[in-house]
């Protein structure tokens, strides 16, 4: 889910002629990913890498939403996402 929002929001920033904001958000997320990988991989291995990736994807999505909301009104309606978030539970 985080990757969907991360991708869409950074693409919207680029489409609104705000590539500097998109770059800043991505640069912060990349830096956080490198730092978290350095901290987590020696102790937790591949699980640490996965946690670092998840954390930075959520960070990127949150920062890009914040940057995007400065240009346009951003609203995420909960109804359409209810089925999406519950579908992985059906597989188990």
């Amino acid at each position: 889910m985080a990757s969907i929002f991360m991708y869409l929001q950074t693409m919207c920033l680029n489409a609104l002629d705000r590539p500097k904001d998109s770059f800043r958000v991505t640069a912060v997320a990349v830096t956080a990913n490198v730092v978290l990988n350095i901290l987590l991989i020696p102790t937790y291995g591949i699980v640490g890498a996965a946690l670092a990736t998840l954390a930075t994807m959520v960070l990127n999505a949150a920062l890009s939403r914040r940057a995007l909301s400065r240009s346009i009104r951003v609203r995420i309606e909960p109804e359409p996402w209810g089925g999406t978030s519950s579908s992985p539970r059906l597989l188990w």
Side-chain angles (χ1 to χ4, degrees):
M1 294 282 287
S3 65
I4 294 169
F5 293 114
M6 178 184 73
Y7 175 75
L8 289 176
Q9 292 174 149
T10 54
M11 292 303 295
C12 285
L13 283 170
N14 289 330
L16 292 169
D17 199 27
R18 307 268 318 257
K20 288 182 182 179
D21 289 339
S22 180
F23 175 78
R24 286 184 194 119
V25 165
T26 303
V28 168
V30 167
T31 303
N33 188 273
V34 170
V35 169
L36 286 173
N37 277 327
I38 290 169
L39 294 173
L40 296 175
I41 289 176
T43 305
Y44 299 104
I46 196 165
V47 173
L51 290 172
T53 300
L54 175 63
T56 54
M57 290 177 79
V58 170
L59 175 67
N60 191 318
L63 292 176
S64 60
R65 183 183 187 281
R66 182 175 172 213
L68 186 59
S69 66
R70 291 180 182 163
S71 296
I72 62 173
R73 185 171 156 230
V74 178
R75 189 178 76 185
I76 300 171
E77 296 182 21
E79 280 301 313
W81 297 101
T84 304
S85 63
S86 65
S87 60
R89 285 183 246 140
L90 296 174
L91 296 175
W92 288 95

